[in-house]
Amino acid sequence: MAKAPRPLQAFFAPVRALFVGDASAGILLILVAAAAMLLANSALAHEYHQLFHGNLAFTPVAKLDTLHLWVNDGLMAIFFFVVGLEVKREWIEGQLSSAEQRRLPILAAAAGMIVPALVYFFFVQGEDPQLIQGWAIPAATDIAFAMGVLGLLGNRVPASLRLFLLTVAIVDDIGAVLIIAIAYTAGIKLAWLIAALVVVGIMLALNRMRVATVVPFLLLALVLWYFVLNSGVHATIAGVVAALTIPMRGKNDDTMLEHLEHGLAPWSAYLIVPVFGFANAGVNLSGLGLEGVFAPLPLAIAAGLFFGKQVGIVSAIFIANRIGFAPRPHGANWPEIWGVSILCGIGFTMSLFIGELAFPGYRLLIDEAKIGILLGSLCSAIAGYTILRMTTKHPGADRNPPRNI
């Protein structure tokens, strides 16, 4: 069969990329977010809201009496468990396993969280004091969404930049987890917290005893989640803590942690995160109007994601490279680094999650935060893709880029 002409191949390359490699999970998130927005602004808006926020006829856990709570406090604990597995593996045996490898991602991720927060503060100063609680919303990067956009470029982007984006996002996840644990924790119930710490101690003991099956760890992780849920610390933290107790090796020195991560990662990327996106991305714009869309909160979040992320990350890389602290990604030019830094402003999943925690009970503020997240993420995705498309000159780059989370 005759090959398609080169112009046609170039035209359809992004379409092919939708169904292969890093793009698929990110594209699924885009479609899910679009579907949620359409439903929330259609004749089915009431049904959409009732599906997630209506009280359940039965729930085995009293604190989780809506489907929305089950998604955010239950399913997302599994997402954070997978994040914890990824972080532990990368820190011990992966791309963050040496001090030299950690320098640039940690510095870039830190700057990429601090500068957006400062941009956010600049926009909300003098406004409602309640808005201060949302400072961490633009600090997060959505790894699946960002890698999905990067995947649309195929092999044009150098492998070093793909790896850089992955490692920055992993460090970013660590920072987001710490922020949630410290800044968005309700009143602590000491008895439940002590019970949770006892379970963690048992899991660490099993690790030291080199227990070679994941079953007891998973059962104890479920118990830990229940105790943390009732302790006042956000339940998803249990997922990260449980993951850090999983042994790296099992029977016959096989990679026990990696096998578990590989088994759960597709469920996280293609089921849990899309369900979370569908449950949280929908916001009814009719009640907001232009005043709500361009209110201080959505503008602060959008500016933090779009401007704060790129300024923070590019500045950190430039300074680190200039003073010899850490070299810039190998084989990447500055326009390419700029483009990838803009993609780090896609904050969909984690930003939506933090937005729900920042304004509990304030539906209008949560909806405004969602508008800012969607606006900032969309601008970052379009601008980052456009810049990389115009500046990348690596058609022969690694055709087997690092695996997505």
Side-chain angles (χ1 to χ4, degrees):
M1 191 169 89
K3 290 185 178 179
R6 285 190 178 276
L8 286 180
Q9 285 182 330
F11 179 80
F12 285 108
V15 179
R16 290 198 307 272
L18 295 179
F19 304 100
V20 296
D22 297 318
S24 52
I27 295 304
L28 179 58
L29 271 182
I30 295 172
L31 296 176
V32 162
M37 287 294 292
L38 287 173
L39 279 174
N41 291 276
S42 72
L44 297 174
H46 177 72
E47 287 75 10
Y48 170 80
H49 185 271
Q50 280 298 112
L51 173 64
F52 291 107
H53 296 280
N55 288 333
L56 297 172
F58 168 77
T59 178
V61 181
K63 287 180 69 70
L64 307 182
D65 58 356
T66 68
L67 186 57
H68 185 263
L69 288 174
W70 271 104
V71 170
N72 283 28
D73 290 357
L75 278 182
M76 285 301 285
I78 302 175
F79 166 79
F80 278 90
F81 182 74
V82 176
V83 169
L85 294 174
E86 174 81 359
V87 167
K88 181 172 181 176
R89 180 179 56 78
E90 292 289 349
W91 197 269
I92 295 177
E93 296 183 349
Q95 300 301 326
L96 299 173
S97 58
S98 70
E100 291 75 16
Q101 290 173 307
R102 294 171 191 159
R103 284 177 184 171
L104 189 61
I106 289 177
L107 180 65
M113 299 181 84
I114 294 170
V115 177
L118 293 176
V119 172
Y120 179 91
F121 283 129
F122 173 80
F123 273 84
V124 301
Q125 63 179 339
E127 303 292 339
D128 183 354
Q130 181 71 29
L131 300 184
I132 298 297
Q133 295 297 318
W135 65 271
I137 297 173
T141 294
D142 189 293
I143 186 170
F145 214 143
M147 289 301 294
V149 175
L150 202 62
L152 295 178
L153 293 159
N155 60 2
R156 295 173 59 89
V157 179
S160 63
L161 271 183
R162 292 174 177 269
L163 181 59
F164 173 75
L165 179 58
L166 275 171
T167 50
V168 168
I170 290 168
V171 177
D172 194 289
D173 282 341
I174 298 173
V177 169
L178 291 174
I179 288 171
I180 292 169
I182 296 170
Y184 298 113
T185 291
I188 300 295
K189 296 178 181 177
L190 195 57
W192 286 104
L193 185 59
I194 292 173
L197 292 174
V198 170
V199 175
V200 173
I202 295 172
M203 296 178 77
L204 290 172
L206 293 178
N207 184 312
R208 294 295 296 272
M209 293 163 59
R210 301 185 67 83
V211 172
T213 176
V214 298
V215 174
F217 288 97
L218 295 180
L219 291 175
L220 285 168
L222 185 61
V223 176
L224 176 63
W225 169 80
Y226 182 75
F227 287 169
V228 173
L229 176 69
N230 288 279
S231 71
V233 177
H234 199 272
T236 52
I237 300 301
V240 177
V241 174
L244 298 180
T245 69
I246 303 295
M248 288 294 296
R249 306 288 172 184
K251 291 180 180 178
N252 305 317
D253 205 36
D254 66 336
T255 53
M256 179 172 162
L257 181 144
E258 192 167 356
H259 286 166
L260 181 59
E261 180 193 343
H262 286 177
L264 291 175
W267 292 97
S268 176
Y270 295 101
L271 178 62
I272 294 172
V273 172
V275 168
F276 170 83
F278 186 68
N280 289 274
V283 52
N284 192 324
L285 299 177
S286 62
L288 290 174
L290 286 178
E291 281 190 12
V293 173
F294 295 102
L297 178 58
L299 287 181
I301 293 171
L305 286 170
F306 184 69
F307 295 109
K309 277 287 185 181
Q310 58 177 293
V311 170
I313 293 174
V314 171
S315 298
I317 297 172
F318 179 80
I319 293 171
N321 184 75
R322 188 67 178 267
I323 67 175
F325 178 75
R328 72 189 192 195
H330 176 72
N333 58 43
W334 286 109
E336 291 169 340
I337 292 172
W338 179 36
V340 167
S341 299
I342 294 175
L343 288 185
C344 289
I346 302 173
F348 187 77
T349 304
M350 199 69 81
S351 291
L352 286 174
F353 190 78
I354 294 175
E356 291 281 343
L357 298 179
F359 307 115
Y362 293 89
R363 196 71 249 165
L364 177 61
L365 293 182
I366 291 174
D367 286 346
E368 287 186 357
K370 290 178 182 179
I371 293 298
I373 293 165
L374 294 172
L375 181 61
S377 297
L378 182 63
C379 290
S380 297
I382 293 173
Y385 174 85
T386 302
I387 290 170
L388 288 170
R389 186 74 185 178
M390 293 172 61
T391 60
T392 47
K393 299 177 181 179
H394 298 268
D398 185 3
R399 295 179 183 272
N400 295 298
R403 178 183 51 78
N404 196 0
I405 206 170

